[in-house]
Amino acid sequence: MNRIVGVKNYGFDWYTDYGLNEASAATAIVRHGLDWVVVQNQLDPIPTSAVAQRPPGQGYSDRRLRDEMRARGLRTFEATSVFFQPSVYASRPDLRPVDANGFVMEQYGWYVGLCPSSPAYLAERAALIEEVAGELQSDGLFLSFIRFPGFWEMWMPDTPRSSILEYCFCERCLARFQQETGHSLPDGPTKMRSAILQHELRDEWTRWKCGVIAGVIATLKGAMRRAVPDADVLINGLGFSRNDYDNAVAEVLGQDVEALSAVAEHLELMLYDQISRREGPQWVAESTRAARARTSMTVLASLQTKADYLDPMYASGRRRTTLTAEDHEACLKAVLESPADGIMVYRWLDYLESEVRGDGRLLSALRSFKDGTIGAR
Ligand SMILES: [Zn+2]
C-alpha cells in the first residue's frame, strides 16, 4: 500500500535562510517524496509558538507557492490556528477560558487557549477562512488547536488526571450547555456548578463539549467550501487514546473521534514520542490501531523530527534530549506495519536541513518509508 506522506511547512526559513523560492521549494518537496503539504499563509498567520518565525519579506507570494506545488501534483492544506491566538486572548476578556474553580486561564510557556463557544468569534474565523480560501484556492483546510484548552505537551505517562485542568466553565459555556441540553444548573459559584458537570452530568457535559468542537469544524469547513467546493478537512488530533488519563481527550479537550468523523475527512494523531515521553514505535502501533477501530477517516501518524521542550521550565517532563535519524526511522517503520494511511511530519525544514547541511540520514529514512524499503537494509 502506498502511504500518504504529509509534511508541515511552517516558517519561512526555506525562503529567508536556504535561498529557495516558491518554485524551487515545490521542486524540493517533490524530490523529498511528499504528497500533502500543510502550509501557513500571511492573511491568517500561525501565532508564534515554541518556534520563532521570521516573515519572508518582499517578493514572496503565498499564492505562487500554492500554484507551484499544485502544478507538481502536491495537495495543499491551509493551516489555521483556531483556538490559539494570544493576541485575541489579550484583547478580548470574553474569550478567556475559565477553569473549574472560576479562575481565568493564564499563559504557560508559549501556550494559552481560547474559549471555543463564542458564536461571534467563530463567525470571524469563518469569514477569514473563506477569504483565505478564495485568495489561495488550497485543496483543503488544516484545523490546528481545534479543541477546548489544554497543554497536552505536559501530559506525561505519570501525570495523574487530577492534575490536568479542565476548561471551559465561563458563563457563556454554562449558559449554552443549559440551553442546548435542557439541563439546568443551580445558581451559585463556578466551583459548585462545575462539580455537577464533572460528576453527575459528566457524560452530558463531555458530549456537549465534543459537539461544540464538531460544530466549529462544520462551520469552518462550510466557509472553506464556499470558495473551494470540494475542499476537505484535516484535523490536528491527539495521539492519546480513550484509556489515557480517563479519556481526557474527549472530556477535557472535547475531541471525540466519532464526532470528528461526521464532519472531517482526515485525522492526524500527534505521536510526538520524545515530547510525550513515550516509546515511539509501540505508541504508533497502539494509537493508530485504536483510531482505526473508531473511524473511516484517513488516519495519519504525526511524527516529530527533532527533540523539543528542553528548556528548563519544562524540566519536570524528564524528556530525553535527543531524537536521532534512527529513532525517526523506527517510528516510520512502525507506521508501515500499522493500519495508518500515512504520516504527517513536523517539519519539512528538518528534511531540507538534513539534505543541504546535514548527513542526509533523516531524509533517507523518509524516502525509504515512501518506497516501502524501510528496515530492509
Ligand atoms: Zn467558555
Side-chain angles (χ1 to χ4, degrees), residues 94-98 114-118 148 167-174 208:
D94 77 300
L95 292 170
R96 292 175 195 160
V98 173
L114 293 177
C115 164
S117 73
S118 162
F148 277 76
Y167 299 89
C168 176
F169 300 95
C170 78
E171 288 303 318
R172 181 182 50 243
C173 283
L174 300 191
W208 178 80

Side-chain angles (χ1 to χ4, degrees), residues 27-335:
T27 301
I29 285 170
V30 170
R31 186 170 71 240
H32 294 169
L34 306 171
D35 307 301
W36 291 9
V37 189
V38 169
V39 274
Q40 64 179 100
N41 65 74
Q42 297 175 99
L43 285 169
D44 175 18
I46 302 287
T48 300
S49 55
V51 184
Q53 294 166 8
R54 273 189 297 154
Q58 296 254 316
Y60 165 80
S61 154
D62 279 334
R63 177 63 193 252
R64 197 180 308 127
L65 179 63
R66 275 91 181 142
D67 289 346
E68 296 288 355
M69 290 198 286
R70 271 194 295 275
R72 288 163 180 79
L74 296 166
R75 195 168 171 76
T76 57
F77 287 82
E78 214 55 59
T80 187
S81 174
V82 185
F83 297 118
F84 171 64
Q85 296 283 347
S87 63
V88 172
Y89 172 94
S91 63
R92 309 218 344 220
D94 77 300
L95 292 170
R96 292 175 195 160
V98 173
D99 73 15
N101 289 316
F103 296 119
V104 170
M105 183 179 210
E106 288 180 19
Q107 186 163 334
Y108 180 81
W110 55 268
Y111 178 73
V112 67
L114 293 177
C115 164
S117 73
S118 162
Y121 178 70
L122 178 58
E124 291 165 32
R125 298 299 309 172
L128 185 55
I129 283 168
E130 187 174 349
E131 183 192 349
V132 169
E135 289 268 326
L136 302 177
Q137 293 291 311
S138 287
D139 303 299
L141 184 62
F142 174 62
L143 298 177
S144 72
F145 298 95
I146 183 74
R147 52 185 179 255
F148 277 76
F151 196 49
W152 61 265
E153 287 89 338
M154 295 305 287
W155 299 4
M156 294 294 135
D158 49 359
T159 298
R161 168 63 187 270
S162 57
S163 74
I164 296 174
L165 292 181
E166 182 178 355
Y167 299 89
C168 176
F169 300 95
C170 78
E171 288 303 318
R172 181 182 50 243
C173 283
L174 300 191
R176 268 191 64 178
F177 170 78
Q178 294 177 84
Q179 198 171 29
E180 293 169 16
T181 65
H183 289 285
S184 59
L185 299 169
D187 289 336
T190 303
K191 190 173 179 169
M192 181 267 283
R193 305 177 96 198
S194 68
I196 295 170
L197 294 169
Q198 291 180 306
H199 294 97
E200 292 98 297
L201 296 178
R202 178 71 258 183
D203 290 349
E204 290 86 343
W205 174 236
T206 302
R207 207 174 307 125
W208 178 80
K209 289 176 75 172
C210 294
V212 167
I213 295 301
V216 169
I217 295 168
T219 298
L220 299 181
K221 179 174 168 175
M224 174 89 184
R225 284 192 166 177
R226 283 195 285 278
V228 181
D230 59 352
D232 46 15
V233 170
L234 169 63
I235 299 294
N236 174 227
L238 279 292
F240 308 120
S241 304
R242 272 183 178 139
N243 297 335
D244 292 307
Y245 317 103
D246 300 321
N247 201 19
V249 172
E251 293 188 358
V252 175
L253 304 179
Q255 279 196 359
D256 173 68
V257 174
E258 284 78 6
L260 297 174
S261 303
V263 288
E265 287 73 32
H266 317 295
L267 173 69
E268 70 152 349
L269 306 170
M270 289 188 284
L271 297 162
Y272 298 159
D273 58 320
Q274 179 269 337
I275 293 175
S276 295
R277 214 176 76 221
R278 298 307 205 269
E279 204 277 310
Q282 186 191 340
W283 198 22
V284 166
E286 290 172 0
S287 178
T288 57
R289 203 182 308 130
R292 182 78 291 157
R294 296 175 67 184
T295 182
S296 57
M297 282 186 286
T298 310
V299 172
L300 301 178
S302 196
L303 306 176
Q304 61 178 125
T305 37
K306 276 199 171 164
D308 210 339
Y309 290 88
L310 299 175
D311 291 345
M313 72 168 298
Y314 305 120
S316 66
R318 295 184 287 112
R319 295 173 180 84
R320 67 179 199 267
T321 55
T322 57
L323 194 161
T324 64
E326 287 70 31
D327 294 334
H328 188 50
E329 186 167 326
C331 285
L332 290 170
K333 186 165 180 285
V335 176

